[in-house]
DNA sequence: GGCCGTCTTTGAAATGTTTCAGTGACAGTA
DNA sequence: TACTGTCACTGAAACATTTCAAAGACGGCC
């Protein structure tokens, strides 16, 4: 008898007058059990309020019904959108999702990974602090399916999903050039981030291929990709002598762009007339800004969904091959770069 | 021998030349095993790369080392801040955290809860679609520790953590009155949300206690608490005849306020001179807006942390008593309501 | 030498599920 | 009647850990 205990298959079996195995069959291969017994077992289950114990199932099965996403920065909505995409895919596969946040700290990341290993998750999606960190190799060594999100890792050592950041940089700056800007700032940092390097590289590439003077693409480094750093960059921009001051800024992400926008408007500048701004990511708040932000869109949810599918393939398909999926970013033009009355 | 398999306690025991029980003791009560054997076992563990199997531990222990948060709306950063607070508390207690998102849909919520039940999570934190939903009673009936976040549920049937929304409404409108506004709009909805009702109630309460005409507190209902609805409300506001048009708006949350701000500025209004705006929650983006938003702050992380502590108390303390924790909101005044040159 | 107490270590049971070889029962066929 | 095959169900083993009573080792003391 169950006294307070939550009922187990055994209790259900007793109540329905069948064996353990039959109850299990009702849950896992209903087609092999006769309609009459199945019904009887199902009634017993609902009468007892039976709920499958996932730990026991997993212990026996050797594998859990769980995925995990270790995100890089919980204060950036971009990552939550990615997580949302992952969750949808997990839902489709009837899996649960652990969400962890490393907050850009490698030690925290390691702690999370260790816990996830103990949980025997089916796969790990991660936007790592450092794609080359040894604790990531550890995962591959153990054979845990892993997908890097929004970063790439050399040598096909695992799957990854990202956007073509170089291209993103190109289309942003190309757009500004088309709008007639001849002096443009690139705002972003630290350079240790692959994204920042590549977006800058793309910007420079197109700038020079348009025959512009490299000097006219001003690099304003920041210490992080945050709203506060965007404001600071705005102040530095305002401090430049008028002749050298860019009329447009391309920010390495939307948080910087929002900070820059706020600072500029507060200082009495008109956007886009005095300063045009392009962001990157196209988070919801870019479109919601007082002056809606032009931004290079990443397919955020799609990124997450694709990553989840890759990790599931690695987990279930024996001839899985690692892939480096690369999505194409897309410029979304809004008011912050609207064509101005050209006075050259 | 382990061929590819991930090593178990048994393998460690064999490698170290001790029994299973001793290995377990090394992990769980190191003080009872002699220094020499402990060291030997630890070496074996690290040589084999042993990682505890959490499912097996949990199966035997009967309880998992896992918490869960079911959030209401993943597009609102407010809930992610709450989640962040929960995660910090979970981390302190060495627990993992499942994060789910019901997206305001009751069916999804039920699906998530069912899965969490199967996982035998230690406790569930939830911001429910409907605090009176029967699947929540189900949880209490089963004895799963549960805490309602940012809502209250009658009858002390479980713990809850929230902010005093009536007070929040009062301080917001009181602030606007102090700034000299004599016609104020309340923007929010649907009224089925407890928060909306209470914030409105607080607004009305203080308005009347200041001796103002109830007619001068205009209620503009919305269909949801989103940026888009905020814009729509802005259009409706602009459509009012000048004499009846409020000079200030109190929005039921920051997303509405951001939408309203965007629409207003786009329409050429000056904020705060033509329209003052107060939001609610004080999410990061409120401070980051082009015109920094005045907002009623909820201690978002603190809310999550407190909720996690309550659920842990319920899970571990036999004489746990349900509590309804209520935090005090606080007005954060910024430019969107800055004192204007008074022309009465 | 026998007894006692302390400190370590052991071995077996128990947790809830899934799987799989095996057992009956029953109908159809020779 | 005996054989074959199909269908529905059973029973026991296995998964990796924790717990706990019991056993063993060792030294001190009478």
């Amino acid at each position: 008898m169950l006294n307070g205990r939550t009922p187990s298959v055994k209790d259900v079996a007793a109540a329905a007058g069948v064996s353990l195995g039959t109850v299990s069959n009702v849950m896992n291969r209903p087609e092999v059990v006769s309609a009459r017994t199945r019904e009887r077992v199902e009634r017993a289950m609902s009468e007892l309020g039976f709920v499958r114990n996932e730990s026991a199932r997993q212990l026996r099965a050797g594998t859990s019904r769980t995925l995990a996403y270790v995100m890089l920065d919980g204060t950036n909505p971009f990552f939550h959108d990615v997580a949302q995409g992952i969750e949808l895919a997990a839902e489709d596969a009837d899996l649960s999702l652990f969400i962890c946040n490393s907050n850009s700290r490698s030690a925290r990341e390691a702690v999370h990974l260790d816990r996830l290993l103990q949980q025997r998750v089916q796969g790990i999606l991660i936007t790592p602090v450092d794609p080359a960190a040894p604790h990531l190799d550890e995962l591959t060594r153990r054979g845990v399916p892993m997908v890097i999100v929004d970063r790439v890792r050399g040598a096909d050592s695992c799957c990854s999903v990202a956007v073509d950041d170089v291209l993103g940089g190109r289309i942003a700056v190309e757009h500004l050039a088309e709008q007639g800007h001849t002096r443009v700032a690139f705002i972003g940092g630290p350079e240790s981030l692959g994204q920042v390097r590549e977006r800058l590289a793309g910007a420079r590439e197109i700038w020079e291929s348009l025959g512009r003077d490299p000097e006219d693409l001003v690099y304003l480094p920041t210490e992080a990709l945050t709203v506060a750093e965007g404001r600071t960059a705005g102040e530095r921009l305002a401090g430049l002598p008028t002749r050298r001051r860019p009329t447009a800024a391309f920010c390495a992400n939307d948080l910087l762009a929002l900070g820059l926008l706020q600072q500029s408007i507060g200082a009495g500048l008109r956007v886009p007339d005095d300063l045009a701004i392009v962001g990157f990511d196209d988070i919801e708040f870019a479109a919601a800004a007082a002056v809606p932000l032009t931004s290079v869109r990443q397919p955020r949810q799609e990124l997450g969904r694709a990553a989840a599918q890759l990790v599931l393939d690695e987990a279930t398909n024996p001839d899985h091959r690692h892939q480096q999926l690369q999505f194409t970013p897309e410029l979304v033009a809004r008011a912050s770069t609207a064509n101005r009355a050209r006075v050259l």
Side-chain angles (χ1 to χ4, degrees), chain A residues 91-127:
Chain A
E91 202 66 44
D92 288 347
D94 197 37
L95 298 173
S96 301
L97 179 64
F98 280 114
I99 297 184
C100 318
N101 181 356
S102 69
N103 259 315
S104 297
R105 287 173 41 205
S106 200
R108 208 141 198 79
E109 185 176 287
V111 169
H112 283 305
L113 290 178
D114 187 56
R115 219 200 302 287
L116 294 173
L117 238 33
Q118 295 191 19
Q119 301 274 2
R120 299 289 194 273
V121 294
Q122 268 209 10
I124 296 183
L125 314 189
I126 181 169
T127 305

mmCIF file of all heavy atoms in Angstrom, chain A residues 91-127:
data_model
loop_
_atom_site.group_PDB
_atom_site.id
_atom_site.type_symbol
_atom_site.label_atom_id
_atom_site.label_comp_id
_atom_site.label_asym_id
_atom_site.label_seq_id
_atom_site.Cartn_x
_atom_site.Cartn_y
_atom_site.Cartn_z
ATOM 1 N N GLU A 91 10.385 21.531 -27.079
ATOM 2 C CA GLU A 91 8.970 21.195 -26.877
ATOM 3 C C GLU A 91 8.506 20.203 -27.939
ATOM 4 O O GLU A 91 7.866 19.199 -27.633
ATOM 5 C CB GLU A 91 8.161 22.494 -26.983
ATOM 6 C CG GLU A 91 6.826 22.434 -26.295
ATOM 7 C CD GLU A 91 7.008 22.305 -24.798
ATOM 8 O OE1 GLU A 91 7.869 23.013 -24.221
ATOM 9 O OE2 GLU A 91 6.297 21.482 -24.221
ATOM 10 N N ASP A 92 8.851 20.478 -29.169
ATOM 11 C CA ASP A 92 8.447 19.591 -30.257
ATOM 12 C C ASP A 92 8.980 18.180 -30.041
ATOM 13 O O ASP A 92 8.349 17.200 -30.404
ATOM 14 C CB ASP A 92 8.976 20.104 -31.604
ATOM 15 C CG ASP A 92 8.236 21.349 -32.045
ATOM 16 O OD1 ASP A 92 7.186 21.653 -31.441
ATOM 17 O OD2 ASP A 92 8.707 22.020 -32.975
ATOM 18 N N ALA A 93 10.177 18.094 -29.460
ATOM 19 C CA ALA A 93 10.778 16.782 -29.255
ATOM 20 C C ALA A 93 10.419 16.233 -27.878
ATOM 21 O O ALA A 93 10.970 15.224 -27.446
ATOM 22 C CB ALA A 93 12.296 16.880 -29.403
ATOM 23 N N ASP A 94 9.522 16.924 -27.191
ATOM 24 C CA ASP A 94 9.085 16.509 -25.863
ATOM 25 C C ASP A 94 10.248 16.435 -24.880
ATOM 26 O O ASP A 94 10.391 15.472 -24.132
ATOM 27 C CB ASP A 94 8.367 15.156 -25.949
ATOM 28 C CG ASP A 94 7.549 14.895 -24.693
ATOM 29 O OD1 ASP A 94 6.968 15.854 -24.169
ATOM 30 O OD2 ASP A 94 7.533 13.739 -24.235
ATOM 31 N N LEU A 95 11.059 17.439 -24.895
ATOM 32 C CA LEU A 95 12.196 17.499 -23.982
ATOM 33 C C LEU A 95 12.068 18.714 -23.066
ATOM 34 O O LEU A 95 11.437 19.703 -23.428
ATOM 35 C CB LEU A 95 13.496 17.640 -24.781
ATOM 36 C CG LEU A 95 13.839 16.499 -25.728
ATOM 37 C CD1 LEU A 95 15.048 16.861 -26.574
ATOM 38 C CD2 LEU A 95 14.096 15.235 -24.942
ATOM 39 N N SER A 96 12.671 18.614 -21.884
ATOM 40 C CA SER A 96 12.728 19.764 -20.993
ATOM 41 C C SER A 96 14.025 20.530 -21.235
ATOM 42 O O SER A 96 14.979 19.978 -21.765
ATOM 43 C CB SER A 96 12.678 19.330 -19.533
ATOM 44 O OG SER A 96 11.502 18.618 -19.269
ATOM 45 N N LEU A 97 14.044 21.771 -20.811
ATOM 46 C CA LEU A 97 15.214 22.606 -21.082
ATOM 47 C C LEU A 97 15.748 23.263 -19.819
ATOM 48 O O LEU A 97 15.024 23.968 -19.124
ATOM 49 C CB LEU A 97 14.825 23.693 -22.094
ATOM 50 C CG LEU A 97 15.906 24.686 -22.494
ATOM 51 C CD1 LEU A 97 17.035 23.991 -23.221
ATOM 52 C CD2 LEU A 97 15.326 25.788 -23.358
ATOM 53 N N PHE A 98 17.008 23.001 -19.533
ATOM 54 C CA PHE A 98 17.695 23.755 -18.488
ATOM 55 C C PHE A 98 18.245 25.027 -19.104
ATOM 56 O O PHE A 98 18.874 24.973 -20.170
ATOM 57 C CB PHE A 98 18.897 22.979 -17.930
ATOM 58 C CG PHE A 98 18.553 21.923 -16.939
ATOM 59 C CD1 PHE A 98 18.758 20.592 -17.224
ATOM 60 C CD2 PHE A 98 18.029 22.257 -15.704
ATOM 61 C CE1 PHE A 98 18.450 19.604 -16.305
ATOM 62 C CE2 PHE A 98 17.712 21.276 -14.774
ATOM 63 C CZ PHE A 98 17.925 19.948 -15.080
ATOM 64 N N ILE A 99 18.028 26.157 -18.465
ATOM 65 C CA ILE A 99 18.638 27.385 -18.947
ATOM 66 C C ILE A 99 19.586 27.898 -17.880
ATOM 67 O O ILE A 99 19.202 28.066 -16.723
ATOM 68 C CB ILE A 99 17.574 28.452 -19.269
ATOM 69 C CG1 ILE A 99 16.675 27.942 -20.391
ATOM 70 C CG2 ILE A 99 18.237 29.761 -19.669
ATOM 71 C CD1 ILE A 99 15.660 28.945 -20.862
ATOM 72 N N CYS A 100 20.821 28.109 -18.250
ATOM 73 C CA CYS A 100 21.806 28.630 -17.317
ATOM 74 C C CYS A 100 22.383 29.898 -17.909
ATOM 75 O O CYS A 100 22.256 30.158 -19.095
ATOM 76 C CB CYS A 100 22.947 27.653 -17.100
ATOM 77 S SG CYS A 100 22.444 25.947 -16.943
ATOM 78 N N ASN A 101 23.035 30.648 -17.065
ATOM 79 C CA ASN A 101 23.550 31.943 -17.478
ATOM 80 C C ASN A 101 24.962 32.072 -16.945
ATOM 81 O O ASN A 101 25.173 32.060 -15.742
ATOM 82 C CB ASN A 101 22.631 33.011 -16.888
ATOM 83 C CG ASN A 101 23.049 34.394 -17.275
ATOM 84 O OD1 ASN A 101 24.062 34.602 -17.930
ATOM 85 N ND2 ASN A 101 22.274 35.373 -16.863
ATOM 86 N N SER A 102 25.920 32.177 -17.843
ATOM 87 C CA SER A 102 27.297 32.263 -17.355
ATOM 88 C C SER A 102 27.683 33.700 -17.028
ATOM 89 O O SER A 102 28.706 33.932 -16.401
ATOM 90 C CB SER A 102 28.263 31.705 -18.393
ATOM 91 O OG SER A 102 28.320 32.557 -19.514
ATOM 92 N N ASN A 103 26.851 34.649 -17.449
ATOM 93 C CA ASN A 103 27.164 36.051 -17.191
ATOM 94 C C ASN A 103 28.577 36.422 -17.623
ATOM 95 O O ASN A 103 29.266 37.168 -16.932
ATOM 96 C CB ASN A 103 26.972 36.375 -15.715
ATOM 97 C CG ASN A 103 25.657 37.070 -15.504
ATOM 98 O OD1 ASN A 103 25.324 37.978 -16.267
ATOM 99 N ND2 ASN A 103 24.892 36.651 -14.512
ATOM 100 N N SER A 104 28.994 35.873 -18.712
ATOM 101 C CA SER A 104 30.326 36.167 -19.271
ATOM 102 C C SER A 104 31.469 35.731 -18.373
ATOM 103 O O SER A 104 32.585 36.203 -18.538
ATOM 104 C CB SER A 104 30.484 37.653 -19.595
ATOM 105 O OG SER A 104 29.552 38.025 -20.579
ATOM 106 N N ARG A 105 31.200 34.871 -17.411
ATOM 107 C CA ARG A 105 32.283 34.434 -16.531
ATOM 108 C C ARG A 105 32.567 32.960 -16.727
ATOM 109 O O ARG A 105 31.719 32.100 -16.527
ATOM 110 C CB ARG A 105 31.948 34.752 -15.086
ATOM 111 C CG ARG A 105 32.051 36.260 -14.810
ATOM 112 C CD ARG A 105 31.563 36.591 -13.428
ATOM 113 N NE ARG A 105 32.024 35.589 -12.466
ATOM 114 C CZ ARG A 105 31.412 35.330 -11.327
ATOM 115 N NH1 ARG A 105 30.311 35.961 -11.028
ATOM 116 N NH2 ARG A 105 31.902 34.424 -10.512
ATOM 117 N N SER A 106 33.815 32.700 -17.054
ATOM 118 C CA SER A 106 34.216 31.359 -17.409
ATOM 119 C C SER A 106 34.031 30.378 -16.256
ATOM 120 O O SER A 106 33.626 29.231 -16.456
ATOM 121 C CB SER A 106 35.680 31.360 -17.850
ATOM 122 O OG SER A 106 35.965 30.231 -18.602
ATOM 123 N N ALA A 107 34.293 30.816 -15.054
ATOM 124 C CA ALA A 107 34.190 29.927 -13.899
ATOM 125 C C ALA A 107 32.747 29.466 -13.716
ATOM 126 O O ALA A 107 32.469 28.289 -13.480
ATOM 127 C CB ALA A 107 34.675 30.646 -12.640
ATOM 128 N N ARG A 108 31.840 30.410 -13.855
ATOM 129 C CA ARG A 108 30.420 30.079 -13.730
ATOM 130 C C ARG A 108 30.011 29.065 -14.802
ATOM 131 O O ARG A 108 29.276 28.115 -14.542
ATOM 132 C CB ARG A 108 29.608 31.360 -13.906
ATOM 133 C CG ARG A 108 28.308 31.320 -13.193
ATOM 134 C CD ARG A 108 27.998 32.680 -12.555
ATOM 135 N NE ARG A 108 27.001 32.554 -11.532
ATOM 136 C CZ ARG A 108 27.238 32.106 -10.301
ATOM 137 N NH1 ARG A 108 28.458 31.715 -9.962
ATOM 138 N NH2 ARG A 108 26.271 32.031 -9.424
ATOM 139 N N GLU A 109 30.518 29.318 -15.979
ATOM 140 C CA GLU A 109 30.230 28.417 -17.091
ATOM 141 C C GLU A 109 30.662 26.996 -16.738
ATOM 142 O O GLU A 109 29.911 26.039 -16.931
ATOM 143 C CB GLU A 109 30.984 28.924 -18.324
ATOM 144 C CG GLU A 109 30.708 28.182 -19.597
ATOM 145 C CD GLU A 109 31.444 28.838 -20.767
ATOM 146 O OE1 GLU A 109 31.013 29.932 -21.195
ATOM 147 O OE2 GLU A 109 32.450 28.286 -21.248
ATOM 148 N N ALA A 110 31.845 26.877 -16.193
ATOM 149 C CA ALA A 110 32.368 25.553 -15.850
ATOM 150 C C ALA A 110 31.492 24.872 -14.800
ATOM 151 O O ALA A 110 31.209 23.676 -14.884
ATOM 152 C CB ALA A 110 33.800 25.673 -15.347
ATOM 153 N N VAL A 111 31.058 25.641 -13.820
ATOM 154 C CA VAL A 111 30.196 25.081 -12.782
ATOM 155 C C VAL A 111 28.908 24.549 -13.394
ATOM 156 O O VAL A 111 28.464 23.443 -13.098
ATOM 157 C CB VAL A 111 29.857 26.152 -11.716
ATOM 158 C CG1 VAL A 111 28.759 25.656 -10.791
ATOM 159 C CG2 VAL A 111 31.095 26.526 -10.933
ATOM 160 N N HIS A 112 28.321 25.348 -14.268
ATOM 161 C CA HIS A 112 27.081 24.920 -14.918
ATOM 162 C C HIS A 112 27.306 23.634 -15.708
ATOM 163 O O HIS A 112 26.519 22.693 -15.626
ATOM 164 C CB HIS A 112 26.559 26.005 -15.853
ATOM 165 C CG HIS A 112 25.897 27.139 -15.140
ATOM 166 N ND1 HIS A 112 24.857 26.945 -14.263
ATOM 167 C CD2 HIS A 112 26.108 28.478 -15.176
ATOM 168 C CE1 HIS A 112 24.469 28.119 -13.785
ATOM 169 N NE2 HIS A 112 25.215 29.065 -14.321
ATOM 170 N N LEU A 113 28.376 23.594 -16.465
ATOM 171 C CA LEU A 113 28.617 22.421 -17.296
ATOM 172 C C LEU A 113 28.773 21.169 -16.444
ATOM 173 O O LEU A 113 28.269 20.101 -16.791
ATOM 174 C CB LEU A 113 29.864 22.641 -18.165
ATOM 175 C CG LEU A 113 29.670 23.688 -19.262
ATOM 176 C CD1 LEU A 113 30.950 23.881 -20.045
ATOM 177 C CD2 LEU A 113 28.530 23.290 -20.192
ATOM 178 N N ASP A 114 29.455 21.328 -15.325
ATOM 179 C CA ASP A 114 29.641 20.179 -14.458
ATOM 180 C C ASP A 114 28.297 19.648 -13.971
ATOM 181 O O ASP A 114 28.022 18.455 -13.995
ATOM 182 C CB ASP A 114 30.517 20.581 -13.271
ATOM 183 C CG ASP A 114 30.870 19.381 -12.430
ATOM 184 O OD1 ASP A 114 31.432 18.434 -12.997
ATOM 185 O OD2 ASP A 114 30.566 19.372 -11.222
ATOM 186 N N ARG A 115 27.437 20.558 -13.562
ATOM 187 C CA ARG A 115 26.124 20.140 -13.095
ATOM 188 C C ARG A 115 25.337 19.452 -14.209
ATOM 189 O O ARG A 115 24.649 18.460 -13.995
ATOM 190 C CB ARG A 115 25.348 21.342 -12.578
ATOM 191 C CG ARG A 115 24.545 20.992 -11.332
ATOM 192 C CD ARG A 115 23.435 21.969 -11.110
ATOM 193 N NE ARG A 115 23.912 23.328 -10.985
ATOM 194 C CZ ARG A 115 24.558 23.776 -9.916
ATOM 195 N NH1 ARG A 115 24.788 22.969 -8.907
ATOM 196 N NH2 ARG A 115 24.960 25.030 -9.861
ATOM 197 N N LEU A 116 25.456 19.995 -15.406
ATOM 198 C CA LEU A 116 24.702 19.430 -16.523
ATOM 199 C C LEU A 116 25.202 18.022 -16.863
ATOM 200 O O LEU A 116 24.432 17.151 -17.249
ATOM 201 C CB LEU A 116 24.806 20.348 -17.741
ATOM 202 C CG LEU A 116 24.131 21.704 -17.530
ATOM 203 C CD1 LEU A 116 24.402 22.635 -18.708
ATOM 204 C CD2 LEU A 116 22.640 21.536 -17.304
ATOM 205 N N LEU A 117 26.491 17.843 -16.687
ATOM 206 C CA LEU A 117 27.063 16.512 -16.903
ATOM 207 C C LEU A 117 26.457 15.525 -15.913
ATOM 208 O O LEU A 117 26.108 14.398 -16.263
ATOM 209 C CB LEU A 117 28.573 16.602 -16.687
ATOM 210 C CG LEU A 117 29.527 16.195 -17.806
ATOM 211 C CD1 LEU A 117 28.972 16.498 -19.176
ATOM 212 C CD2 LEU A 117 30.870 16.874 -17.613
ATOM 213 N N GLN A 118 26.345 15.950 -14.678
ATOM 214 C CA GLN A 118 25.743 15.085 -13.657
ATOM 215 C C GLN A 118 24.300 14.753 -14.013
ATOM 216 O O GLN A 118 23.825 13.658 -13.731
ATOM 217 C CB GLN A 118 25.773 15.765 -12.291
ATOM 218 C CG GLN A 118 27.172 15.977 -11.762
ATOM 219 C CD GLN A 118 27.169 16.403 -10.306
ATOM 220 O OE1 GLN A 118 26.186 16.215 -9.602
ATOM 221 N NE2 GLN A 118 28.266 16.972 -9.853
ATOM 222 N N GLN A 119 23.622 15.694 -14.602
ATOM 223 C CA GLN A 119 22.230 15.459 -14.965
ATOM 224 C C GLN A 119 22.124 14.568 -16.196
ATOM 225 O O GLN A 119 21.033 14.185 -16.575
ATOM 226 C CB GLN A 119 21.514 16.793 -15.260
ATOM 227 C CG GLN A 119 21.509 17.782 -14.113
ATOM 228 C CD GLN A 119 20.355 17.556 -13.152
ATOM 229 O OE1 GLN A 119 19.576 16.630 -13.318
ATOM 230 N NE2 GLN A 119 20.270 18.398 -12.144
ATOM 231 N N ARG A 120 23.254 14.311 -16.839
ATOM 232 C CA ARG A 120 23.255 13.477 -18.042
ATOM 233 C C ARG A 120 22.313 14.027 -19.104
ATOM 234 O O ARG A 120 21.511 13.275 -19.681
ATOM 235 C CB ARG A 120 22.865 12.031 -17.717
ATOM 236 C CG ARG A 120 23.776 11.314 -16.754
ATOM 237 C CD ARG A 120 25.115 10.982 -17.360
ATOM 238 N NE ARG A 120 25.863 10.022 -16.561
ATOM 239 C CZ ARG A 120 26.669 10.343 -15.550
ATOM 240 N NH1 ARG A 120 26.829 11.610 -15.190
ATOM 241 N NH2 ARG A 120 27.339 9.401 -14.912
ATOM 242 N N VAL A 121 22.378 15.337 -19.316
ATOM 243 C CA VAL A 121 21.524 15.934 -20.344
ATOM 244 C C VAL A 121 21.852 15.329 -21.701
ATOM 245 O O VAL A 121 22.968 14.884 -21.944
ATOM 246 C CB VAL A 121 21.708 17.466 -20.415
ATOM 247 C CG1 VAL A 121 21.216 18.122 -19.148
ATOM 248 C CG2 VAL A 121 23.149 17.825 -20.689
ATOM 249 N N GLN A 122 20.860 15.344 -22.574
ATOM 250 C CA GLN A 122 21.052 14.747 -23.897
ATOM 251 C C GLN A 122 21.998 15.567 -24.752
ATOM 252 O O GLN A 122 22.656 15.044 -25.642
ATOM 253 C CB GLN A 122 19.710 14.644 -24.615
ATOM 254 C CG GLN A 122 19.032 13.342 -24.399
ATOM 255 C CD GLN A 122 18.152 12.972 -25.573
ATOM 256 O OE1 GLN A 122 18.182 13.603 -26.629
ATOM 257 N NE2 GLN A 122 17.344 11.963 -25.384
ATOM 258 N N GLY A 123 21.993 16.867 -24.525
ATOM 259 C CA GLY A 123 22.858 17.715 -25.324
ATOM 260 C C GLY A 123 22.968 19.088 -24.702
ATOM 261 O O GLY A 123 22.123 19.487 -23.901
ATOM 262 N N ILE A 124 24.035 19.782 -25.065
ATOM 263 C CA ILE A 124 24.275 21.104 -24.495
ATOM 264 C C ILE A 124 24.423 22.119 -25.611
ATOM 265 O O ILE A 124 25.227 21.938 -26.528
ATOM 266 C CB ILE A 124 25.548 21.091 -23.620
ATOM 267 C CG1 ILE A 124 25.340 20.158 -22.428
ATOM 268 C CG2 ILE A 124 25.909 22.492 -23.165
ATOM 269 C CD1 ILE A 124 26.490 20.117 -21.456
ATOM 270 N N LEU A 125 23.642 23.180 -25.524
ATOM 271 C CA LEU A 125 23.819 24.313 -26.428
ATOM 272 C C LEU A 125 24.503 25.398 -25.611
ATOM 273 O O LEU A 125 24.126 25.622 -24.461
ATOM 274 C CB LEU A 125 22.466 24.821 -26.925
ATOM 275 C CG LEU A 125 21.485 23.753 -27.395
ATOM 276 C CD1 LEU A 125 20.294 24.387 -28.070
ATOM 277 C CD2 LEU A 125 22.161 22.806 -28.338
ATOM 278 N N ILE A 126 25.474 26.032 -26.198
ATOM 279 C CA ILE A 126 26.193 27.022 -25.400
ATOM 280 C C ILE A 126 26.723 28.165 -26.249
ATOM 281 O O ILE A 126 27.194 27.958 -27.361
ATOM 282 C CB ILE A 126 27.349 26.347 -24.623
ATOM 283 C CG1 ILE A 126 28.096 27.359 -23.756
ATOM 284 C CG2 ILE A 126 28.322 25.646 -25.575
ATOM 285 C CD1 ILE A 126 29.065 26.726 -22.771
ATOM 286 N N THR A 127 26.586 29.357 -25.713
ATOM 287 C CA THR A 127 27.277 30.507 -26.254
ATOM 288 C C THR A 127 28.412 30.762 -25.279
ATOM 289 O O THR A 127 28.207 31.330 -24.203
ATOM 290 C CB THR A 127 26.363 31.745 -26.316
ATOM 291 O OG1 THR A 127 25.197 31.414 -27.055
ATOM 292 C CG2 THR A 127 27.076 32.900 -26.991
#
